[in-house]
Amino acid sequence: MPIYTAPTRDTRFVVNELLDLASFGNLPGFENATPDMIDTVINEAGKFCAEVLAPLNQSGDQEGCTRHEDGSVTTPKGFKEAFDQYRESGWGTISQPEEFGGQGMPHVMGFVIEEFVATSNQAFGMYPGLTTGAVSALIAKGSPKQQATYLPKMVSGEWLGTMNLTEPHCGTDLGMIRTKAEPQADGSYAITGTKIFISAGEHDLTENIIHLVLAKTPDAPDSSKGISLFVVPKVLVNDDASLGERNAVSCGSIEHKMGIHGNATCVMNYDGAKGWMVGEENKGLAAMFIMMNAARLGVGIQGLGQAEVAYQNAVAYALDRRQGRALTGPADPEAKADPIFVHPDVRRMLMDAKAFTEGQRALCLWGALLVDLAHKAPTEEERADADALIGLLTPVIKGYGTDKGYEVATNMQQVFGGHGYIEEWGMSQFVRDARIAMIYEGTNGVQAMDLCGRKLAQNGGAAVQAFFKLVGEEIEAAKSDATLAPLAEALGKALNEQQAATMWFMQNAMTNPNNLGAGAHNYMHIMGIVTLGLMWLRMAKVSLEKLAGEPEDKAFYEAKLATARYYMDRFIPEAGALRRKLEAGADSMMALGEEAFQTAA
């Protein structure tokens, strides 16, 4: 059976030492995030996920969800009881607003729990995880009545929420949606249409599900400017907050998927269902992006999660499995063979995984801190700067993070050799579950175009220039230390590659927009390499400071320094190759006509 141990030590390092969360105690919501409280939350959440959720991961994958004739859906055995424990323990309330029943702690702590849940059981985590985006949209755009009606029970976990965007004929191009919203005399709307790929669209975990649905009113423009957002409960809510009659929304079928079998991915049919507009008419796109941005950060965490659990299992296997001898001579002369851990190619895959997972964890939690600062920093300028920076980083956290997360999962399967292809070891599930993260909430090609087509040019390029300045200043500061200087110089080379790639876009994308599209994915990866490099430079700096004080866990900080050197040696050089690919432009990529791609009989 696969194993999972929550990486609580590394998480405490990032939250307490790298981010120094306690230093923000003057900001609203941070006052209770003391080191002792942080450690308690991290340790207890890790224990819950390892002991309650992880044992259900493989069985949930094998059993899947069941749709019944009446349209109801049953989740895998044990999911309902586990969710009851999750709700009663308040894990979903950690970073939610106190005014709606949350604990009001920083988003950083919410991201910590989200990682542990996604790693231990990604399919399970999608049920409460999607509610976070729905809650954010209702807080930002919902009316006081809508907030009072839905948010307390969504925050508590008594009800869960969904996002209903995609339709059979359109995904990213939401301007093509056909779902209709007909105004009614009582101020509600009759919602009619079909939505597909709706994660957690129907289930037995809660007595109500609050759907947020994109639709078009009768006279709306036939484009993305004609989209409105509606709240459509599975069960109507009476004025006294009790549940009323069942709404005209149902699960038509459950998708048969490659992975995340424990989550009910539904085709949802709206047959004149009663809904209420959220925000202004034809302004649903803005509300949708609130949900999408929250979800994209969550998916970046899923990429980290599957890489982490695959890595843990691969390390255990590599230390146990014996095959061949170390190239420098027998590592264990008393045995007939050495553990495969001694082989450089196995070590390459494990080191790649370690460098990515620890770097991505630092990036995700820094991203969470930026979300907090965007709302709670002392000055308007600081809030705006944090908001612009997390907006720039979101497609990188999602796109680069899930590309590399899937790559790590497949490499960890490779460590197992033939056993990695056998279902009982569990590696296949990690690979299958990791694959969806590259696709949903905007494919990674869409993330790359969001980064390069929208974020780079936004406000005259202010966000990316601020990013360059931030990284450049930290590089220069680190060069004064003999140990950090080689790391800083390496990161500086990657930063130069990103700056050169940015300039190439400026010079070549206007004359031929395909040049931007052809290089966007490469650019996203260059920025991912630079951003994780920044995380490793920061982690090396903190580790060096700790080692100066002779800490008890000296080996932990020494491993950080060694991994930072590995990252700079092995990841940073890829930035140059990616820039050269980007600068090849679009001509050869777009040269062939359609007929050249069709196989002749």
Side-chain angles (χ1 to χ4, degrees):
M1 184 176 178
I3 61 169
Y4 172 64
T5 301
T8 53
R9 176 64 185 94
D10 195 57
T11 303
R12 293 196 305 273
F13 166 77
V14 174
V15 176
N16 289 329
E17 300 172 54
L18 185 67
L19 299 181
D20 190 15
L21 206 64
S23 67
F24 296 92
N26 61 312
L27 301 183
F30 284 77
E31 60 272 10
N32 295 326
T34 62
D36 286 346
M37 176 60 73
I38 289 167
D39 289 352
T40 298
V41 171
I42 290 172
N43 292 336
E44 290 303 313
K47 181 179 178 182
F48 171 80
C49 291
E51 295 180 0
V52 178
L53 300 186
L56 298 174
N57 193 37
Q58 191 173 41
S59 61
D61 177 65
Q62 294 167 349
E63 181 183 344
C65 296
T66 303
R67 178 187 177 276
H68 306 286
E69 288 186 8
D70 63 358
S72 64
V73 170
T74 303
T75 53
K77 183 179 179 182
F79 271 45
K80 178 69 168 66
E81 293 76 13
F83 182 76
D84 289 344
Q85 292 183 56
Y86 174 92
R87 184 187 67 249
E88 290 163 6
S89 299
W91 294 122
T93 70
I94 289 289
S95 58
Q96 296 290 7
E98 291 181 283
E99 62 186 297
F100 299 115
Q103 299 183 48
M105 292 187 72
H107 282 84
V108 175
M109 300 311 299
F111 274 39
V112 166
I113 295 168
E114 199 166 340
E115 182 204 331
F116 293 173
V117 172
T119 311
S120 59
N121 195 322
Q122 180 173 326
F124 176 93
M126 291 168 66
Y127 290 103
L130 286 163
T131 306
T132 301
V135 166
S136 297
L138 286 172
I139 288 174
K141 300 293 183 179
S143 68
K145 181 178 180 181
Q146 289 168 350
Q147 293 176 353
T149 299
Y150 302 112
L151 288 179
K153 292 199 173 184
M154 293 175 74
V155 166
S156 70
E158 292 174 79
W159 300 344
L160 292 180
T162 71
M163 298 161 49
N164 282 238
L165 284 63
T166 307
E167 298 185 8
H169 61 286
C170 71
T172 302
D173 190 355
L174 291 169
M176 296 173 60
I177 66 171
R178 296 173 184 161
T179 299
K180 294 297 183 183
E182 297 283 347
Q184 305 298 297
D186 63 357
S188 68
Y189 288 78
I191 311 297
T192 302
T194 297
K195 299 288 185 177
I196 63 170
F197 304 159
I198 308 306
S199 300
E202 175 63 32
H203 53 77
D204 58 349
L205 302 185
T206 57
E207 60 183 355
N208 205 1
I209 303 171
I210 310 305
H211 302 290
L212 290 186
V213 184
L214 292 183
K216 289 183 176 179
T217 53
D219 299 323
D222 190 20
S223 68
S224 60
K225 295 180 179 179
I227 298 173
S228 298
L229 181 67
F230 299 87
V231 59
V232 187
K234 170 185 169 180
V235 182
L236 297 175
V237 183
N238 297 320
D239 290 338
D240 63 357
S242 64
L243 293 181
E245 62 184 31
R246 176 69 186 261
N247 208 350
V249 52
S250 61
C251 170
S253 64
I254 296 177
E255 304 286 2
H256 299 282
K257 309 185 298 289
M258 176 180 175
I260 50 170
H261 296 151
N263 192 269
T265 305
C266 301
V267 174
M268 300 299 295
N269 295 320
Y270 291 84
D271 301 307
K274 188 179 285 289
W276 291 265
M277 187 177 291
V278 178
E280 298 178 51
E281 186 172 3
N282 300 333
K283 301 291 185 181
L285 203 60
M288 181 272 293
F289 270 112
I290 294 170
M291 294 188 287
M292 287 294 290
N293 286 333
R296 286 171 175 175
L297 292 171
V299 174
I301 293 172
Q302 290 178 356
L304 162 64
Q306 294 311 301
E308 171 67 33
V309 70
Y311 165 69
Q312 289 189 17
N313 282 270
V315 169
Y317 185 83
L319 291 170
D320 181 68
R321 175 73 168 176
R322 292 180 179 272
Q323 200 92 116
R325 289 296 190 185
L327 297 178
T328 53
D332 186 357
E334 303 300 318
K336 291 185 178 180
D338 291 329
I340 63 172
F341 188 81
V342 304
H343 300 307
D345 193 58
V346 171
R347 193 69 69 90
R348 169 187 65 84
M349 293 186 282
L350 295 177
M351 282 300 296
D352 279 356
K354 182 176 178 64
F356 168 73
T357 54
E358 294 180 16
Q360 179 74 358
R361 177 172 299 112
L363 175 57
C364 287
L365 294 179
W366 180 45
L369 179 59
L370 291 173
V371 172
D372 284 313
L373 295 177
H375 292 93
K376 299 177 180 178
T379 68
E380 185 177 343
E381 182 181 2
E382 289 174 295
R383 293 192 293 273
D385 288 347
D387 188 59
L389 186 52
I390 189 56
L392 182 72
L393 291 173
T394 293
V396 177
I397 291 172
K398 194 280 186 186
Y400 181 75
T402 58
D403 276 352
K404 296 298 288 186
Y406 176 71
E407 178 185 308
V408 167
T410 58
N411 281 340
M412 297 304 93
Q413 184 185 38
Q414 186 77 11
V415 169
F416 279 70
H419 289 286
Y421 207 62
I422 304 301
E423 287 291 337
E424 67 185 79
W425 288 92
M427 301 307 289
S428 167
Q429 183 186 353
F430 303 145
V431 172
R432 289 184 285 106
D433 286 356
R435 189 65 184 86
I436 186 57
M438 300 165 68
I439 297 173
Y440 60 13
E441 307 305 345
T443 66
N444 285 357
V446 170
Q447 302 305 314
M449 284 303 295
D450 178 44
L451 173 64
C452 298
R454 293 181 64 245
K455 302 295 176 58
L456 291 186
Q458 216 163 41
N459 298 321
V464 74
Q465 291 303 321
F467 175 77
F468 291 156
K469 183 174 184 289
L470 171 69
V471 180
E473 287 176 347
E474 295 198 30
I475 288 171
E476 288 305 311
K479 285 181 179 178
S480 62
D481 184 278
T483 303
L484 297 178
L487 307 180
E489 289 169 5
L491 179 57
K493 292 178 181 178
L495 179 63
N496 289 340
E497 301 289 5
Q498 186 185 354
Q499 290 172 320
T502 307
M503 182 61 67
W504 191 89
F505 274 159
M506 291 175 63
Q507 295 169 343
N508 294 275
M510 293 294 290
T511 54
N512 182 1
N514 279 340
N515 283 330
L516 184 79
H521 192 266
N522 299 133
Y523 187 94
M524 180 177 72
H525 274 242
I526 294 171
M527 188 167 177
I529 290 167
V530 172
T531 309
L532 258 67
L534 176 64
M535 296 300 102
W536 275 112
L537 184 62
R538 289 177 174 179
M539 288 190 282
K541 180 176 182 292
V542 172
S543 297
L544 204 59
E545 292 169 353
K546 293 293 181 180
L547 285 168
E550 293 296 322
E552 290 183 8
D553 49 354
K554 182 179 179 182
F556 175 86
Y557 298 107
E558 290 176 337
K560 284 290 181 189
L561 287 174
T563 309
R565 287 191 291 270
Y566 179 87
Y567 183 89
M568 301 303 179
D569 286 347
R570 292 283 179 158
F571 282 65
I572 289 294
E574 295 175 5
L578 289 166
R579 178 180 65 82
R580 288 188 287 274
K581 284 185 176 183
L582 179 152
E583 292 180 353
D587 289 350
S588 62
M589 186 180 293
M590 308 299 289
L592 296 179
E594 295 178 8
E595 67 282 353
F597 291 89
Q598 298 173 13
T599 303

